[in-house]
Amino acid sequence: MSVPKLDVARVRPPQAVLALLPPRLARGLGALPVAVAPDGAVTVCVADATDFALRDRVERALGERAVRYVEPGDPAAFVKVLRENYPDAALNGTLDRPEELFAYMLRRALARGASDIHVSPDERGARIRLRVDGRLVTDRREPPEAAAEFVSYIKVLAKLDIAERRAPQDGNIDTELDGATVALRVATVPTLYGEHVTLRLLSQTARTQRLERLEDLGMHPEAFALFRKALRTPNGVIIISGPTGSGKTTTLYAALRALAAPDDRHLVSIEDPVEKPVAGVTQIKVDGRQERVSFAKALRSVLRHDPDVVMVGEIRDGETAATALRSALTGHLVLTTLHTNSAPAILTRLTDLGVPPYLVAGTLRLAMAQRLVRRPCPACVDWAPATPAECAACGWDATHPPRVPHAVGCPYCGGTGYAGRTAVYEMLPVDDAARAALRTGRPPTIADPALTLRGDGLRKVLEGETTLAEIAEVIDSELLP
């Protein structure tokens, strides 16, 4: 009997799949459920698929579900993965203890590449959710008493006031886990049913380290050339737009690292909060609650410290916008972000904030927008010719339809069909045409469709970097019929 082999070190089973087998039974038998197919069949990894006594116990535990068996490619790794997914605390019934639950959820978040852990209270206790590839996934549910103890434990680790439950609080946790230091940013906020806690994972994992260089951000050569050209200008403003969680800070940090490489310039960043240390950059944290150090105040002060490059984490008001753009007139390069839906909308938004059009035209070098889209899982991606409707929506030749990827789902991606994310960029260089539009009050346009979010997204679909479903959901809902 030929049994498929599974690279168990890459398996990321969701909690709902793990819950199909009781922890003590799973560990005792050496059986790990790894995925549930659309038809309801469960894929179970066992050390020996020819052990029919083991298979009988697994199938009785799973009831009427069909079972498909796989074997681990590395038996030693299988033992480790089985213990990680069904820890001793789960067998002993002590997983609801706050210290055990914290370590378990942290391991699961790191293993699944999550960016955040959310503890969301409701009338039945709390859901613990992980944000994986930009999507929140419920991992487990805790009853009210265990949830309250878990929140209090997190607040103690973050050195927050555990008696204060009616005001938001912010803190940080640096903890050791399996011999490595894990850095977390903690934020609490009171809700109807208790405190909601969000933990942002700030650790320098292999995934984040791969995005430290400009060359690794996934920009198309034409867009990359425009960005590098703007960064090489001695003065001016570069603004990146996009919703929260679209990777703007990652792009800005990569730009700062590139600018800091010669070590002959003074680089300063003003952030709220400081996401992570960047070598060679003087980083300043804004005090958003007391307003002792606002973005505008910090920027005015920084300009007296002889900076060459200034990064302002976000333009939130007209004062900050005007100060940032005027600082470019005095010979500084300014990098910042602004919340708009597109790159051309940045110019309009600046004038709405009260910045004179002549100042925008004279200082802005590049307006950018970006979004994050999920990559199809390479282990299960399905390629198929685009349909006539898809060709019509995307402007492709229906007589020779291109092959495009589709998400399927497998044990390696937790059944989602996606693994990791990439960025889609939009570039508007502020040239004579854009300046003329500003002077006449017309909205500027991007002449090259390939430099728009839609154009870059469709290009990444054809390159297999994402799917049409993702582009339709994140950028343009009209791309799918």
Side-chain angles (χ1 to χ4, degrees), residues 324-394:
L325 270 66
R326 286 197 176 97
S327 65
L329 289 176
T330 56
H332 304 92
L333 179 63
V334 180
L335 313 177
T336 187
T337 69
L338 184 66
H339 284 292
T340 65
N341 289 326
S342 66
I346 289 175
L347 283 71
T348 305
R349 177 64 178 148
L350 288 172
T351 56
D352 288 344
L353 288 172
V355 181
Y358 76 85
L359 186 57
V360 178
T363 59
L364 191 60
R365 300 290 179 260
L366 180 67
M368 297 173 51
Q370 69 178 75
R371 301 289 189 276
L372 292 180
V373 292
R374 293 182 294 176
R375 297 176 185 265
C377 173
C380 61
V381 61
D382 178 47
W383 288 81
T387 65
E390 290 171 342
C391 289
C394 300

Side-chain angles (χ1 to χ4, degrees), residues 154-357:
I154 292 172
K155 292 173 71 174
V156 168
L157 290 180
K159 298 181 174 59
L160 304 180
D161 183 357
I162 62 172
E164 178 58 77
R165 298 185 178 89
R166 294 180 294 178
Q169 297 187 68
D170 300 295
N172 294 280
I173 297 175
D174 290 310
T175 186
E176 292 288 327
L177 186 72
D178 301 331
T181 300
V182 181
L184 304 163
R185 191 176 75 226
V186 181
T188 71
V189 65
T191 72
L192 181 63
Y193 297 105
E195 289 181 282
H196 181 110
V197 180
T198 302
L199 298 96
R200 168 66 56 89
L201 279 73
L202 302 176
S203 298
Q204 291 290 328
T205 61
R207 178 178 295 186
T208 58
Q209 289 172 353
R210 287 198 298 268
L211 297 176
E212 290 187 350
R213 302 190 314 143
L214 286 177
E215 294 82 357
D216 300 329
L217 294 179
M219 292 184 186
H220 188 267
E222 187 177 357
F224 182 73
L226 288 172
F227 193 32
R228 286 299 297 265
K229 179 181 178 181
L231 290 175
R232 287 170 177 158
T233 57
N235 55 68
V237 182
I238 300 171
I239 300 181
I240 306 176
S241 73
T244 300
S246 60
K248 300 186 298 295
T249 300
T250 298
T251 301
L252 286 175
Y253 276 9
L256 285 178
R257 291 188 187 95
L259 292 169
D263 196 27
D264 59 358
R265 287 179 287 188
H266 183 200
L267 283 76
V268 181
S269 73
I270 305 168
E271 307 173 57
D272 182 23
V274 175
E275 293 281 355
K276 65 185 70 170
V278 180
V281 180
T282 301
Q283 295 176 273
I284 300 170
K285 182 184 183 301
V286 169
D287 188 343
R289 290 173 293 181
Q290 300 295 327
E291 284 298 325
R292 288 175 296 188
V293 184
S294 66
F295 276 113
K297 289 178 182 178
L299 182 55
R300 286 196 299 269
S301 175
V302 159
L303 294 177
R304 294 192 287 270
H305 289 266
D306 187 32
D308 296 290
V309 179
V310 180
M311 185 192 98
V312 181
E314 181 183 348
I315 290 178
R316 296 177 177 174
D317 51 54
E319 182 185 6
T320 306
T323 305
L325 270 66
R326 286 197 176 97
S327 65
L329 289 176
T330 56
H332 304 92
L333 179 63
V334 180
L335 313 177
T336 187
T337 69
L338 184 66
H339 284 292
T340 65
N341 289 326
S342 66
I346 289 175
L347 283 71
T348 305
R349 177 64 178 148
L350 288 172
T351 56
D352 288 344
L353 288 172
V355 181

Side-chain angles (χ1 to χ4, degrees), residues 15 33 72 88 133 151 162 169 191 275 300 324 351 434 438 467 470:
Q15 193 69 240
D88 293 342
D133 293 337
V151 170
I162 62 172
Q169 297 187 68
T191 72
E275 293 281 355
R300 286 196 299 269
T351 56
L438 271 171
T467 64
E470 271 293 285

